[in-house]
Amino acid sequence: MAQTAAQSAGTHTVTPGDPRPPGDSDAAQGLDIKARTQSQLIVRRFLRHRGAVAGMILLGFVLVLSVSSIGLGPIPGWWDKNYVNSADLVNKGRPTLSVVPGFLGGGGMHLGEHPFGQDNIGRDYFALTMRGTQISLLIAFITGVVATVTGTLIGAAAGFFRGRLEAVLMRITDVMITIPTILFAAMVAVMWGNKGVAVLGLVLGLVTWTQVARLVRGEVLSIREKEFIEAARSVGTSAARIIVKHILPNVIGIIIVSVTLAISAAVLLESALSFLGLGVQPPDTSLGRIINEYRTAMVTRPWLFYWPGIFIIAIALSVNFIGDGLRDAFDPRQNRVRD
């Protein structure tokens, strides 16, 4: 009974075997620390990063909007127009979207017939922008995944095996780094850009893996000297198994962050190539290509320029914020989360 009363009063009761003095208890310090797994800590740290959560919501909104509005492949969307057919210009092609309520002096909140306006030949610009968003996201995802996988394999092999293999791989990496990425990507796009969206994303990933390789190599060089790696070697574990089972799980944080940063860079790279006419080729389109086609209308019909630009900025910023949140979440120095 005495012990129960003491606990209800919020005091610390000294029990046999408790090495802490009464004043050092968690309750006395106002802390409530719970045991959590590493994955739980990562999720909590990520969710506490407001920018990352906002970026994830924004990216999800853009992705869902682009897919659900005009559909994807055989799957129809809720928007009744497409990005191919043209029609008569409505209100000289100006956007019909209104977001100002009537009580504030606006026209009320509505989409209208063509919320993003129409292009020069009467195509619905909302449908065209959504199609460009789909293609840009697809290329960026393929590029980011291919660059991360390639860089991880090369960096892990160079850092673990060392010797001549490391020298050869790192010299190749250094040579590719010295070549401006946009120039290298433009050369590749000229040769492979007309082979389709998937091929373009693949070849762009094969020329943007260098930073990932250097980051992974640096981490592997540190981990390979740890005691558990030496223990695995001493019992005859193969090099491939050590890399897959022991080294890569310890660099998974860097790998995941590298994916997000590679995707963000790929969005801008693809937009730049398409703006130069070296990326996605007709009859398909992308956000960068849309800007390239209507860049001369920036003064007379600016909505043809800023709608795809807004989506490029939204995608790049949201992925960057997600990458920042993942980098903080996987930071091993943040080893305790308090309620």
Side-chain angles (χ1 to χ4, degrees):
M1 295 293 292
Q3 183 178 1
T4 304
Q7 291 177 350
S8 63
T11 60
H12 175 66
T13 303
V14 179
T15 59
D18 189 352
R20 300 176 302 173
D24 288 344
S25 65
D26 293 339
Q29 296 180 10
L31 302 179
D32 184 14
I33 301 176
K34 300 178 181 179
R36 295 185 177 89
T37 64
Q38 183 65 23
S39 60
Q40 289 175 329
L41 290 173
I42 291 173
V43 172
R44 286 180 63 82
R45 285 197 291 260
F46 180 81
L47 294 178
R48 284 173 177 249
H49 195 294
R50 296 180 180 178
V53 175
M56 187 168 57
I57 294 174
L58 178 59
L59 183 62
F61 172 76
V62 171
L63 178 61
V64 171
L65 178 65
S66 65
V67 173
S68 66
S69 58
I70 62 173
L72 184 63
I75 303 175
W78 50 264
W79 190 241
D80 60 350
K81 300 176 181 63
N82 58 53
Y83 60 94
V84 177
N85 297 335
S86 59
D88 295 334
L89 292 179
V90 177
N91 194 24
K92 297 182 179 180
R94 293 187 177 90
T96 59
L97 174 66
S98 177
V99 295
V100 181
F103 64 87
L104 294 179
M109 301 182 67
H110 59 83
L111 292 177
E113 186 72 14
H114 301 283
F116 287 6
Q118 296 172 275
D119 65 1
N120 299 331
I121 60 176
R123 291 182 297 179
D124 182 68
Y125 209 60
F126 174 76
L128 188 63
T129 303
M130 292 301 100
R131 178 59 178 176
T133 301
Q134 289 182 1
I135 298 300
S136 294
L137 284 174
L138 178 60
I139 294 176
F141 178 78
I142 295 175
T143 302
V145 172
V146 171
T148 303
V149 172
T150 304
T152 299
L153 293 176
I154 292 176
F160 184 80
F161 293 106
R162 304 297 302 273
R164 293 183 178 179
L165 179 62
E166 180 189 24
V168 172
L169 293 177
M170 287 300 100
R171 296 300 77 76
I172 294 175
T173 304
D174 292 339
V175 170
M176 294 190 66
I177 289 177
T178 59
I179 303 176
T181 302
I182 186 66
L183 177 60
F184 201 1
M187 294 169 54
V188 173
V190 169
M191 297 183 291
W192 300 94
N194 58 351
K195 303 296 183 180
V197 173
V199 176
L200 179 60
L202 176 63
V203 296
L204 289 181
L206 293 176
V207 300
T208 56
W209 52 266
T210 53
Q211 296 298 329
V212 180
R214 293 175 69 92
L215 288 173
V216 173
R217 171 182 171 269
E219 287 296 312
V220 173
L221 285 175
S222 174
I223 295 174
R224 73 188 297 271
E225 305 299 332
K226 301 294 184 180
E227 291 80 1
F228 66 93
I229 300 296
E230 294 296 333
R233 286 173 176 167
S234 65
V235 296
T237 306
S238 64
R241 184 174 179 82
I242 291 176
I243 293 176
V244 174
K245 295 293 185 179
H246 300 289
I247 292 183
L248 289 183
N250 285 280
V251 298
I252 190 66
I254 289 181
I255 294 174
I256 293 177
V257 173
S258 298
V259 170
T260 59
L261 298 180
I263 291 175
S264 176
V267 171
L268 301 178
L269 179 60
E270 183 278 326
S271 299
L273 291 176
S274 296
F275 181 78
L276 296 174
L278 302 176
V280 178
Q281 301 299 319
D284 223 327
T285 190
S286 69
L287 294 175
R289 183 165 188 84
I290 294 174
I291 292 178
N292 177 48
E293 290 178 353
Y294 300 107
R295 65 183 185 276
T296 57
M298 186 170 59
V299 176
T300 58
R301 307 177 72 188
W303 60 87
L304 298 178
F305 187 86
Y306 64 63
W307 281 121
I310 289 174
F311 277 84
I312 290 176
I313 294 173
I315 295 171
L317 282 180
S318 61
V319 175
N320 274 328
F321 281 136
I322 293 173
D324 288 341
L326 289 172
R327 181 174 54 202
D328 292 345
F330 280 97
D331 188 352
R333 291 171 294 182
Q334 301 185 38
N335 54 14
R336 188 171 66 178
V337 177
R338 299 175 181 175
D339 287 333

